[in-house]
Amino acid sequence: MTIVILSEENHRQAKAALHAEMPHVRSSHLAEAMAAGFGRGSHAALLSFRRGYQDHRAPLARWDGAAFARRIASFGYADVPATAFGTALAAIRLPHTPYVKFRKGDRSANEDHYRTANRLGRPMMMITTARTYAQLEWDCITIDGREDHHVRGHEGDRLVRLMFEMFQARCRGAPGKPLFCGSAFTGTIKKLLPETAGQLAEDYFTLLTCHSPEQRSGLREARFRS
C-alpha cells in the first residue's frame, strides 16, 4: 500500500503495528520517522497537517519507505528496510483503507463496504478476486451529492479520460486483455492481475477523493513517477 488515509485512528494503529515489528525503536524516534515517511519534516508538522480534519475528511498521503528508512537510520538504527511499513501493515487491517478486497460473490462484504463508504462520504472502491484474475469496481453513489461535481458532467468526462490513461499505462501488455468499462461516477475493469488491480484502486481512489483539479493533477504526476 502506498496511499494512506491519514485519519487519527489509522495513524495510531500504523504506529502500533510498526512498534510491534520494531520494538527496539524508541516511540519518539518512530513517530519522527513515520512523519518523514508521510512527507513531513517532523512529527509536529504531521500533526499540524492533520489537525482540523475529522476521520471522514482525513487527507491522503503517499508513503515513502525510503524516507522512513533514512530517518530511522539518522537515529542510529541500522538495517531498517524501506519495506518495514508494508511488512508491519500486512499483519493488520487499517480501519480506513482506499479499497476493500473480497472473494467474488461475497455479498456481505460488499454491503459492509457500502455502509462504511456511505457513512464517511467516500467513493466505493472494490476488488473482487477469482482464481487467476481480479475485477476492480468503483461507485461514487456514496459521495455527498453536494460534493460530487468532479465525477459528473464535463468534469467527469475529463476525469474518466485520465482514469483510462492510467488504465492503459498500468495494463500495457498485460495478460487476460483487461477491459475498462464505465465513467468517472461508476465503472468496472475486468481481468486484471491482482497487483495491478491494487495499484489502480489506489490511483482511482486518489482521483475520486480529491476535489480540486490542482490536487488531482499533482497526484497524477506523482503516481506516474512511481
Side-chain angles (χ1 to χ4, degrees):
M1 179 181 294
T2 58
I3 296 295
V4 179
I5 299 171
L6 276 182
S7 64
E8 181 180 354
E9 196 172 355
N10 270 4
H11 189 200
R12 183 173 62 251
Q13 292 202 22
K15 184 181 178 184
L18 275 169
H19 194 263
E21 185 74 19
M22 298 178 289
H24 61 292
V25 177
R26 288 178 54 183
S27 179
S28 60
H29 292 165
L30 192 58
E32 293 296 329
M34 284 186 69
F38 286 126
R40 301 290 151 174
S42 67
H43 178 59
L46 179 62
L47 294 181
S48 177
F49 173 64
R50 271 199 14 239
R51 191 170 294 120
Y53 287 99
Q54 296 178 334
D55 277 351
H56 72 294
R57 289 291 182 268
L60 305 182
R62 183 167 177 261
W63 177 258
D64 185 340
F68 169 82
R70 287 194 298 270
R71 190 73 173 113
I72 279 284
S74 74
F75 292 120
Y77 303 98
D79 302 322
V80 173
T83 56
F85 186 75
T87 301
L89 293 195
I92 66 169
R93 185 179 185 277
L94 292 178
H96 306 130
T97 57
Y99 63 89
V100 294
K101 182 186 294 186
F102 46 82
R103 295 290 296 176
K104 186 175 182 180
D106 190 343
R107 294 186 61 183
S108 176
N110 194 339
E111 290 169 0
D112 286 347
H113 180 52
Y114 168 78
R115 286 192 291 268
T116 299
N118 192 53
R119 176 173 56 85
L120 298 173
R122 293 183 183 141
M124 296 178 68
M125 192 68 58
M126 302 154 286
I127 295 174
T128 52
T129 58
R131 180 173 298 178
T132 303
Y133 296 112
Q135 177 172 296
L136 173 63
E137 299 176 72
W138 62 94
D139 197 330
C140 296
I141 195 172
T142 47
I143 297 179
D144 190 321
R146 296 166 297 184
E147 300 178 351
D148 68 354
H149 60 277
H150 62 298
V151 296
R152 296 184 182 274
H154 294 306
E155 287 192 54
D157 291 343
R158 287 194 291 269
L159 188 56
V160 76
R161 286 195 290 270
L162 175 53
M163 294 169 75
F164 188 70
E165 286 178 23
M166 288 182 159
F167 160 74
Q168 289 180 310
R170 294 286 191 193
C171 298
R172 189 169 291 115
K177 296 183 179 179
L179 177 64
F180 181 107
C181 182
S183 65
F185 192 86
T186 183
T188 303
I189 304 178
K190 298 180 179 180
K191 291 194 173 182
L192 289 166
L193 294 175
E195 181 181 359
T196 306
Q199 293 169 338
L200 283 169
E202 290 195 350
D203 291 340
Y204 289 1
F205 184 83
T206 300
L207 289 174
L208 298 175
T209 301
C210 293
H211 301 308
S212 79
E214 292 77 13
Q215 284 179 305
R216 292 197 292 272
S217 176
L219 285 164
R220 175 203 179 193
E221 295 305 319
R223 297 302 294 163
F224 278 114
R225 288 196 299 269
S226 65

